[in-house]
Amino acid sequence: MLKHTGVKFELLTDIDMVMFVRGLSQCSNRYARSNNKYMPSYDQSKPSSYLMYYDVNNLYEGRYRAEAMIAKPNFHSRSVFSENLVAIELCKLEIKFDKPLYMGMYILDIFKTCLYEFHHEYMAPVYREKFKKDTKKAKGVKSNVVARSITFEEYKQCLNDAVEMTCRQSCIRSKLHEVYTISETKIALSSHYDKRYIVPGSTNALPWGHYQCK
């Protein structure tokens, strides 16, 4: 039809126009006749044929909707589960600071003071002998790996000689609802600590901004 009429489409530059136009429809053959065993006029001498009617809409709506969301400035990431299933994560455009942050920090400080006071003034004098039991822990490392592969001497060596120690462990992970196991190498012991200032020649630490920090 466009070839005969000579009509030319304009370039669509408006996203609303692009989302509105889904495509072109046409009727290539305006007459058809079926011939199969389910019809009274069935002719066995002719090949069987059927008339099928498909009302298929929005074939590209999901695609264009996904492309529009990915094109947004607050697009963060996407996860493809299958050919017809995609999850798109968008960042928040507005954040309200309506929580009592200062009050929460104040409550935590008071809570730590009360907890330390309860531990040192009440629990420690009563259960001092039971508190002498040594325990081994490492952040991000499984307890069975710590118990099996790390010794107390290595803790002391890491603290005194600034030695870094790694260990291997197996973990269960899931991605896109698929569960699998991995073997990873983790830093188990390290003397590096960037949250506080380490006093040279000692094991003491000071908060950043302290007057003794050089």
Side-chain angles (χ1 to χ4, degrees):
M1 183 62 66
L2 296 177
K3 182 177 181 181
H4 291 283
T5 59
V7 176
K8 295 183 179 180
F9 285 137
E10 296 181 1
L11 178 64
L12 300 180
T13 58
D14 188 356
I15 184 61
D16 294 330
M17 296 176 63
V18 175
M19 297 299 295
F20 179 78
V21 178
R22 292 291 183 267
L24 298 176
S25 61
Q26 62 178 359
C27 182
S28 302
N29 188 359
R30 295 185 293 176
Y31 176 81
R33 183 175 180 177
S34 61
N35 181 53
N36 55 69
K37 62 181 180 180
Y38 301 103
M39 301 185 62
S41 59
Y42 175 53
D43 188 355
Q44 296 184 359
S45 62
K46 296 181 179 179
S48 297
S49 60
Y50 299 83
L51 294 180
M52 306 297 295
Y53 174 75
Y54 297 99
D55 187 6
V56 182
N57 297 319
N58 298 329
L59 290 177
Y60 305 98
E61 181 178 359
R63 172 189 171 185
Y64 286 122
R65 185 178 302 174
E67 291 180 353
M69 296 183 69
I70 293 175
K72 291 184 177 181
N74 60 326
F75 170 74
H76 181 268
S77 61
R78 55 93 182 113
S79 299
V80 180
F81 294 94
S82 63
E83 183 179 358
N84 299 317
L85 181 59
V86 178
I88 300 175
E89 181 182 359
L90 301 178
C91 297
K92 292 183 178 180
L93 296 176
E94 296 181 358
I95 299 178
K96 290 185 177 180
F97 292 97
D98 56 352
K99 296 182 180 180
L101 300 179
Y102 287 111
M103 183 62 66
M105 183 179 64
Y106 181 70
I107 293 175
L108 288 177
D109 288 340
I110 296 178
F111 172 76
K112 288 191 292 184
T113 303
C114 296
L115 182 63
Y116 292 154
E117 182 180 354
F118 174 75
H119 174 78
H120 292 288
E121 296 184 6
Y122 178 76
M123 296 296 292
V126 178
Y127 301 97
R128 189 173 302 277
E129 294 298 327
K130 295 183 179 180
F131 287 161
K132 291 183 178 180
K133 182 180 179 181
D134 296 326
T135 57
K136 297 184 297 182
K137 291 184 179 181
K139 185 177 180 180
V141 183
K142 293 185 176 181
S143 57
N144 62 329
V145 178
V146 175
R148 184 178 64 252
S149 59
I150 302 178
T151 63
F152 287 105
E153 291 299 325
E154 290 173 333
Y155 278 92
K156 296 171 60 178
Q157 185 181 6
C158 173
L159 182 63
N160 298 327
D161 303 333
V163 177
E164 186 176 272
M165 178 183 176
T166 61
C167 63
R168 294 192 62 84
Q169 63 179 5
S170 299
C171 301
I172 299 177
R173 295 286 186 267
S174 63
K175 183 178 181 181
L176 301 180
H177 299 283
E178 293 184 1
V179 181
Y180 57 93
T181 59
I182 63 171
S183 179
E184 60 181 4
T185 301
K186 296 275 293 187
I187 298 178
L189 300 178
S190 176
S191 60
H192 178 68
Y193 187 56
D194 57 356
K195 294 183 179 180
R196 292 174 66 90
Y197 173 76
I198 307 298
V199 179
S202 68
T203 58
N204 297 329
L206 299 174
W208 291 108
H210 194 274
Y211 73 96
Q212 294 184 0
C213 296
K214 297 180 181 180

